C-alpha cells in the first residue's frame, strides 16, 4: 500500500509543479487548464450574454407596452428591422423572443451558472487540485465560446436570427422558406446549439469524474456540501438529456438540408404541396421536452445548492434535514425525466396518458416542498446575517415557492389546456426557473466573490441592487398571471389587433415600465462587480466564517489550490453554533479530537478513526507527473 506524503513532500510536489514551466499569458489566462480561470471565463461570458438577453427583452417589451410608440430612434442600432412607420418589424419581434429565450436558458442560466460555479467550487470543496481533466475542461469552455460566437453572429445577418420560438418547433424551423428567420439564422442556431451541447457534455463528464474520484481524505459522500450534490446531479441530468436534444437538432438539420421527412408531412406553402410525407412535428416535441424539462432543473439545482450553502452559513445554523435535502434533489432529478409530456397536453395526446403525466408532475411538488420547508426551517430562529448573498438566497426561496405554486396549476391537464401558451405560463417559468436561478447566480457571485478575486463587493450597493431587483421582478411577472388567466397569448406582436385584449393596454404598459426599471437596476450590480474586482476592499481568508474547504486556501489560491498538503475532512460542512464550541463555526478540516468540549457522544467515538483518515492514500493530482 502506497504511503502518504508528508506536508513537506506535498509542498515540494506543488512547488515543483508550479515552477516546472512558466506559463505564458495565453496559456495562463486564455487557453488555461486551471479550473478557477475557466470558471471566471464562464462567469464573464454569462454576464455578457445576460446583458444581451435582457436587452432583447426590453426591445420587445417596448413593443408590447407601447404599441404606438415611434421607435425611429432605434434605427441606428436595428437598421431595417424598424419599418417605414417607425415600428418594430413583426418578424424581427419573433426573432427577439426566440433569441431572448435561447440566450437566457442556455447561455446564461446553464453555461453561465453551472459553468461558473461547478468549475470553481467542485475542486475547492471536495479537496482536489483541479478538475479530473484540465484539458477537457478547457475544451468545454472553448466549445461554448465558439457556440457563443456563432449565436452572436446570427444576430447580424441580413435575414435575421432564428425566429421560430426558443423551442424551435417544426415545421416553421424545418422549412428554410417558411419565413426570413427560418433561413440562415435558423441554420446558425442549430450549429451553435450542437457545439453548445458538446461543451456541456465535456463539462458534465469532468464534474462527475472529479466528484467521484478526486475527493480528499475523509470526504465521504455524506460529508459533501449540498452545493457539490447539486452540481453532481445537474451534471448527471445534462449527460443523459442533452444528447437527446442533439439528436433532435441533427434530424432537424437533415429535414432542412437533405430532403428527409422526420418532422414534415403534407405541408403546403403558398398553395404548393411539398413532397415531404410521413414525418411528425410531435416527434420533435417529445425529443425537445425530454431535454426541456430536465433543463429546468439543470438551471435550478445549482442555484438551490448555492442557496443551501449560503442560508446555512448566514443563519449560523446547521442546514435542516441534510439527508432529506439530498434525497429531495435525487427525487427531483429522477422525476425530471418522466414528466416531459406535461408540456404537450394540447398536442392531441391520449387523455389516459395525459393523466399519467399529470400525476407524475404533481408528485414532483413533494421533493420541491421538502426543500422549501427545509430552507424556512433553517432560517427559523437563526442568528441571521443579512449579507447581499443571503438576501438573494431568501429571494430565491420566495420565487421558488410562488412560481412553484403556479406549476401545480399548470400540471393539471384540464387547467393547462386553457392556460397553455398564455402569459400565465410565461409568468410561471420566469419566476420558478428564470428569476430563481438568476438569484442563485447573483447570490453565488456576492458570496464567493472574495474567493474569485480576493476582494469584497460593496454591501450597500448589494442591498440596493437586491431590493430593486426583487420588487421589480414581482412587478413584472405577477400581473402576467392575471393577463394569462384572461387568455392573452404569448408571442403575439400586438394585443391591440384584437378587441378582447385591448383592455390589457395599461397593464402591459405597467409590466414594460417595471421591466425597464428592473433592467436598469442591474447596472448597479455591473458597476459594483467590475469596480470591486480592481478597487474593492481586500478580503480576509474566510470573510463569512464558513466551514467548507475552499476557505482554507490562500486568499488568492494558485494553480493547485493549496500550497501544501490538501487538508483532510473529519466532519460534515454544517457545524454552526454548536453547543459548547468556542466559536460559532467549526471548519470541516478540524478533527473531533480538537473539539472535545462540543462533541456529541457518537462524535467522540469518531476520534479513533482520525488516524485512519490521515493514513488514506488520497488522490493528489500532483503526485503524478504532468
Amino acid at each position: 500500500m502506497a504511503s502518504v506524503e508528508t506536508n513537506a513532500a506535498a509542498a515540494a510536489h506543488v512547488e515543483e509543479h508550479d515552477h516546472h514551466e512558466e506559463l505564458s499569458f495565453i496559456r495562463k489566462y486564455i487557453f488555461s487548464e486551471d479550473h478557477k480561470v475557466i470558471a471566471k471565463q464562464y462567469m464573464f461570458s454569462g454576464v455578457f450574454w445576460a446583458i444581451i438577453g435582457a436587452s432583447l427583452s426590453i426591445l420587445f417589451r417596448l413593443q408590447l407596452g407601447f404599441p404606438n410608440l415611434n421607435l425611429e430612434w432605434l434605427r441606428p442600432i436595428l437598421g431595417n428591422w424598424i419599418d417605414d412607420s417607425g415600428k418594430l418589424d413583426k418578424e424581427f419581434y419573433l426573432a427577439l423572443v426566440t433569441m431572448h429565450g435561447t440566450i437566457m436558458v442556455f447561455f446564461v442560466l446553464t453555461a453561465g451558472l453551472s459553468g461558473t460555479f461547478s468549475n470553481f467550487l467542485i475542486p475547492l470543496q471536495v479537496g482536489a487540485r483541479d478538475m479530473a481533466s484540465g484539458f477537457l475542461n478547457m475544451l468545454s469552455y472553448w466549445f461554448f465560446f465558439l457556440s457563443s460566437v456563432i449565436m452572436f453572429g446570427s444576430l447580424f445577418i441580413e435575414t435575421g436570427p432564428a425566429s421560430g420560438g426558443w423551442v424551435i418547433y417544426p415545421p416553421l424551423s424545418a422549412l428554410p422558406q417558411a419565413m426570413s428567420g427560418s433561413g440562415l439564422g435558423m441554420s446558425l442556431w442549430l450549429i451553435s446549439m450542437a457545439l453548445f451541447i458538446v461543451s456541456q457534455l465535456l463539462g458534465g463528464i469532468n464534474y462527475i469524474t472529479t466528484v467521484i474520484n478526486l475527493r480528499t481524505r475523509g470526504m465521504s459522500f455524506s460529508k459533501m456540501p449540498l452545493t457539490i450534490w447539486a452540481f453532481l446531479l445537474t451534471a448527471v441530468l445534462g449527460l443523459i438529456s442533452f444528447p437527446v436534444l442533439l439528436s433532435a437538432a441533427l434530424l432537424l438539420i437533415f429535414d432542412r438540408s437533405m430532403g428527409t421527412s422526420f418532422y414534415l408531412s403534407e405541408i403546403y406553402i403558398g398553395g404548393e404541396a411539398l413532397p415531404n410525407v410521413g414525418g411528425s412535428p410531435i416527434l420533435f416535441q417529445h425529443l425537445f421536452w425530454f431535454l426541456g424539462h430536465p433543463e429546468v432543473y439543470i438551471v435550478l439545482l445549482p442555484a438551490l445548492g448555492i442557496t443551501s450553502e449560503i442560508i446555512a452559513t448566514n443563519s449560523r445554523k446547521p442546514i435542516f434535514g441534510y439527508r432529506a435535502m439530498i434525497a429531495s434533489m435525487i427525487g427531483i432529478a429522477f422525476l425530471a425525466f418522466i414528466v416531459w409530456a406535461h408540456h404537450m397536453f394540447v398536442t392531441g395526446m391520449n387523455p389516459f396518458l395525459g393523466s399519467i403525466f399529470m400525476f407524475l408532475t404533481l408528485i414532483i411538488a413533494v421533493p420541491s416542498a421538502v426543500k422549501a420547508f427545509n430552507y424556512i426551517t433553517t432560517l427559523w430562529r437563526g442568528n441571521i446575517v443579512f449579507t447581499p448573498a443571503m438576501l438573494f438566497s431568501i429571494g430565491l426561496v420566495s420565487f421558488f415557492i410562488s412560481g412553484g405554486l403556479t406549476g401545480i396549476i399548470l400540471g393539471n391537464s384540464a387547467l393547462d389546456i386553457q392556460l397553455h401558451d398564455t402569459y400565465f405560463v410565461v409568468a410561471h417559468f420566469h419566476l420558478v426557473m428564470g428569476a430563481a436561478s438568476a438569484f442563485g447566480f447573483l447570490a453565488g457571485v456576492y458570496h464567493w466573490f472574495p474567493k474569485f478575486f480576493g476582494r469584497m463587493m460593496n454591501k450597500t450597493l448589494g442591498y440596493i441592487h437586491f431590493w430593486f431587483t426583487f420588487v421589480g421582478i414581482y412587478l413584472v411577472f405577477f400581473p402576467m398571471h392575471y393577463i394569462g388567466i384572461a387568455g392573452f397569448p404569448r408571442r403575439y406582436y400586438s394585443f391591440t389587433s384584437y378587441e378582447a385584449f385591448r383592455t390589457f393596454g395599461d397593464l402591459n404598459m405597467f409590466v414594460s415600465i417595471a421591466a425597464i426599471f428592473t433592467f436598469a437596476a442591474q447596472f448597479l450590480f455591473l458597476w459594483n462587480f467590475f469596480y470591486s474586482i480592481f478597487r474593492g476592499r481586500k478580503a480576509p481568508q474566510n470573510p463569512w466564517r464558513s466551514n467548507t474547504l475552499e476557505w482554507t486556501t490562500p486568499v488568492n489560491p494558485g494553480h493547485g489550490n493549496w500550497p501544501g498538503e490538501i487538508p483532510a475532512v473529519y466532519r460534515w460542512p454544517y457545524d454552526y453554533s454548536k453547543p459548547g464550541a468556542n466559536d460559532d463555526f467549526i471548519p470541516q478540516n478540524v478533527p473531533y479530537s480538537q473539539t472535545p468540549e462540543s462533541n456529541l457522544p457518537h462524535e467522540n467515538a469518531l476520534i479513533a478513526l482520525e488516524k485512519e483518515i490521515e493514513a488514506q492514500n488520497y488522490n493528489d493530482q500532483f503526485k503524478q507527473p504532468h
Side-chain angles (χ1 to χ4, degrees):
M1 180 176 178
S3 61
V4 181
E5 294 179 61
T6 63
N7 283 357
H13 273 290
V14 178
E15 185 177 352
E16 179 185 350
H17 179 273
D18 287 344
H19 294 90
H20 186 263
E21 61 172 322
E22 191 65 33
L23 295 176
S24 66
F25 177 86
I26 290 177
R27 287 287 290 118
K28 191 173 183 180
Y29 294 109
I30 300 177
F31 296 107
S32 175
E33 295 184 16
D34 186 342
H35 71 101
K36 299 180 294 298
V37 175
I38 294 170
K40 291 176 187 177
Q41 290 174 327
Y42 271 110
M43 176 189 283
F44 290 129
S45 301
V47 168
F48 168 79
W49 275 119
I51 295 169
I52 298 296
S55 300
L56 299 182
S57 71
I58 295 302
L59 289 175
F60 63 72
R61 279 311 320 177
L62 284 174
Q63 166 60 35
L64 286 169
F66 309 94
N68 298 317
L69 182 66
N70 190 306
L71 298 177
E72 192 66 34
W73 55 279
L74 284 172
R75 189 178 293 278
I77 301 172
L78 300 181
N80 292 334
W81 297 119
I82 300 295
D83 63 24
D84 294 337
S85 63
K87 301 292 193 301
L88 201 64
D89 182 85
K90 294 179 181 179
E91 290 197 4
F92 187 64
Y93 173 86
L94 295 177
L96 290 174
V97 174
T98 301
M99 296 303 288
H100 166 74
T102 300
I103 288 167
M104 298 306 287
V105 170
F106 294 112
F107 288 68
V108 178
L109 297 178
T110 302
L113 174 57
S114 187
T116 298
F117 291 102
S118 294
N119 264 302
F120 191 74
L121 291 178
I122 286 176
L124 288 171
Q125 289 195 338
V126 304
R129 297 292 183 189
D130 207 314
M131 283 291 179
S133 171
F135 180 71
L136 275 186
N137 209 18
M138 177 189 72
L139 274 185
S140 171
Y141 174 75
W142 285 102
F143 268 108
F144 168 60
F145 183 83
L146 183 57
S147 168
S148 296
V149 169
I150 294 172
M151 190 67 76
F152 186 68
S154 74
L155 294 171
F156 301 98
I157 61 175
E158 185 177 359
T159 54
S163 55
W166 79 276
V167 294
I168 59 162
Y169 284 171
L172 198 60
S173 59
L175 298 170
Q177 67 270 40
M179 60 189 296
S180 61
S182 299
L184 178 59
M186 183 60 70
S187 297
L188 292 175
W189 191 99
L190 291 167
I191 294 168
S192 173
M193 285 306 301
L195 294 170
F196 176 87
I197 292 167
V198 171
S199 163
Q200 293 304 299
L201 295 177
L202 291 174
I205 291 169
N206 229 351
Y207 304 152
I208 294 169
T209 306
T210 304
V211 171
I212 292 175
N213 292 328
L214 295 183
R215 287 168 287 126
T216 187
R217 295 164 296 161
M219 179 65 82
S220 62
F221 280 97
S222 61
K223 293 176 186 172
M224 291 197 314
L226 290 173
T227 42
I228 303 303
W229 274 104
F231 298 150
L232 174 63
L233 292 169
T234 299
V236 172
L237 282 171
L239 212 58
I240 297 172
S241 59
F242 269 118
V244 179
L245 180 62
L246 181 60
S247 68
L250 289 175
L251 295 181
L252 191 54
I253 291 172
F254 292 161
D255 275 11
R256 289 172 57 83
S257 307
M258 302 180 187
T260 59
S261 299
F262 291 106
Y263 306 131
L264 297 172
S265 183
E266 301 170 358
I267 302 291
Y268 290 81
I269 292 186
E272 178 187 352
L274 299 184
N276 306 86
V277 175
S280 171
I282 304 301
L283 169 62
F284 179 86
Q285 292 193 34
H286 279 291
L287 295 174
F288 180 90
W289 288 115
F290 189 83
L291 167 277
H293 199 77
E295 173 67 14
V296 172
Y297 298 103
I298 287 171
V299 304
L300 193 54
L301 279 178
L304 294 174
I306 288 167
T307 294
S308 301
E309 179 66 27
I310 293 172
I311 285 181
T313 299
N314 290 289
S315 295
R316 312 311 294 169
K317 278 179 63 181
I319 192 78
F320 183 85
Y322 172 79
R323 294 181 188 276
M325 293 288 262
I326 295 170
S328 67
M329 286 193 286
I330 294 172
I332 287 171
F334 172 73
L335 289 169
F337 285 109
I338 53 176
V339 297
W340 78 89
H342 67 218
H343 297 272
M344 301 170 59
F345 285 142
V346 297
T347 60
M349 177 189 298
N350 184 306
F352 176 73
L353 188 59
S355 68
I356 293 173
F357 278 104
M358 180 182 77
F359 174 70
L360 294 170
T361 299
L362 297 180
I363 285 178
I364 209 169
V366 175
S368 301
V370 168
K371 294 197 73 65
F373 172 80
N374 286 6
Y375 287 138
I376 294 169
T377 313
T378 304
L379 290 166
W380 176 251
R381 302 188 72 178
N383 186 19
I384 299 176
V385 182
F386 286 107
T387 64
M390 184 62 160
L391 289 175
F392 276 100
S393 296
I394 295 171
L396 181 151
V397 176
S398 172
F399 294 143
F400 187 58
I401 294 172
S402 58
L405 287 173
T406 57
I408 296 173
I409 296 170
L410 290 170
N412 186 310
S413 57
L415 296 175
D416 181 75
I417 289 170
Q418 304 302 318
L419 296 171
H420 186 81
D421 264 354
T422 69
Y423 267 79
F424 192 91
V425 178
V426 175
H428 158 69
F429 76 76
H430 274 85
L431 281 178
V432 78
M433 185 176 83
S437 300
F439 266 43
F441 178 82
L442 292 167
V445 170
Y446 279 107
H447 188 75
W448 280 285
F449 191 89
K451 188 53 61 180
F452 270 105
F453 301 106
R455 295 182 180 271
M456 305 292 288
M457 294 184 75
N458 184 297
K459 273 190 178 182
T460 304
L461 287 178
Y463 294 142
I464 297 170
H465 174 225
F466 166 76
W467 284 111
F468 280 5
T469 307
F470 181 73
V471 173
I473 285 173
Y474 270 125
L475 291 178
V476 171
F477 296 114
F478 233 76
M480 286 187 186
H481 292 92
Y482 172 73
I483 299 174
I485 290 172
F488 189 76
R490 62 193 292 199
R491 301 193 184 101
Y492 272 36
Y493 171 77
S494 175
F495 57 88
T496 54
S497 305
Y498 302 89
E499 186 65 36
F501 300 141
R502 289 183 183 177
T503 54
F504 302 121
D506 291 343
L507 203 51
N508 262 306
M509 184 185 299
F510 176 82
V511 169
S512 292
I513 291 171
I516 294 167
F517 167 82
T518 308
F519 176 69
Q522 305 320 300
F523 288 94
L524 283 173
F525 168 75
L526 291 174
W527 166 259
N528 193 3
F529 179 76
F530 287 107
Y531 180 85
S532 299
I533 289 175
F534 302 104
R535 304 294 296 276
R537 178 170 59 87
K538 289 188 177 179
Q541 184 178 13
N542 189 356
W544 316 124
R545 297 161 63 82
S546 189
N547 289 342
T548 42
L549 286 183
E550 73 270 26
W551 305 107
T552 65
T553 65
V555 175
N556 290 299
H559 193 190
N561 298 331
W562 288 269
E565 189 179 62
I566 299 174
V569 166
Y570 301 94
R571 59 181 73 227
W572 77 321
Y574 301 111
D575 266 343
Y576 292 107
S577 300
K578 200 171 183 184
N582 296 325
D583 212 334
D584 72 344
F585 74 109
I586 308 175
Q588 283 189 280
N589 64 319
V590 175
Y592 287 113
S593 58
Q594 294 182 16
T595 58
E597 67 282 350
S598 64
N599 289 347
L600 299 173
H602 76 277
E603 292 171 342
N604 284 321
L606 296 175
I607 294 175
L609 301 177
E610 289 176 6
K611 289 185 178 179
E612 184 180 324
I613 290 173
E614 290 163 4
Q616 287 178 10
N617 183 27
Y618 65 101
N619 286 307
D620 189 339
Q621 289 164 303
F622 287 173
K623 280 179 158 183
Q624 303 299 327
H626 281 237

